[in-house]
Amino acid sequence: MKLTTHLLAATPSALQRATTHPFLELAGAGRIPKPLLSQWLSQDRLYAQSYVRFIGALLAKIQLPRTPSDPSNPSAHERILTVLIDAVTNIQTELGFFESSAREFGLDLNAPPAVEGAAGEEAGMAFGAAPITQSYIDMFMSASSPGTSLLEGLLVLWATEVCYLRAWRFAASGREESMGAKGDGSEDADGGALRTRFIPNWSSPEFEAFVDKIGKVLDEFAAEELEKLGEDALAKCERWWGQVVWLEERFWPNVKE
């Protein structure tokens, strides 16, 4: 069985909770207000910035063949290199997309994170990574550390992307409902940012193709590496998958429907 297939089937309930969160349902219905979207988007941008360092550390693990290889049959590390370069290029584009969309819709990318249950002065925090965002950043650093295999790091990359794709595909499933009398999302709580910009971008066929490409390379590499890494290698992969799904569920803001 392919590693990606095995992992997707390993935690069905947790994966469903992470990718069908109430925040996503309200996003698809155009019911996320600008302040809440700004808070979440600010955290997602910090996540994306840490992703660059994560990919950089994975690139340092690449071992290219010393002699030229057959262009029609690149080595595993050459295939992974291509995927990682694509990931860096995509995230650079994504960061620019965040900024242009924020300007267009009047969103604040420096919005401090909300503190659940706090009031008055305690409710205000300086802009920075919320605890769950910091946990994601810490996981990226751990998954790309010298003591972690390239297979594990590549798995974490795929896991974060496939969860993100599935989550926004769920949001997109509710997007086709009425977008207001004007039909352009301008009557949405966020002015149309999610339903006209973010959701189409994060649920697009292009993004799906990128995620599928990572998954294919991961499965091919896993077929070569799992046996070499020892009997605990699969268990390590399962733990990384579980950690990503756990974090993904908690990265979405709590909302009242």
Side-chain angles (χ1 to χ4, degrees), residues 14 17-18 132 135 241-251:
R17 291 195 303 271
I132 195 66
S135 294
W241 168 257
Q243 186 173 354
V244 170
V245 173
W246 188 91
L247 287 169
E248 191 69 16
E249 179 183 354
R250 289 154 181 81
F251 194 71

Side-chain angles (χ1 to χ4, degrees), residues 6 13 19 39 43 68 74 83 101 119 129 147 156 186 189 193 196 208-209 256:
H6 171 72
S13 297
T19 57
Q39 288 176 339
Q43 294 302 306
V83 164
S101 298
V156 168
S186 60
T196 66
E208 181 180 19
K256 294 181 180 180

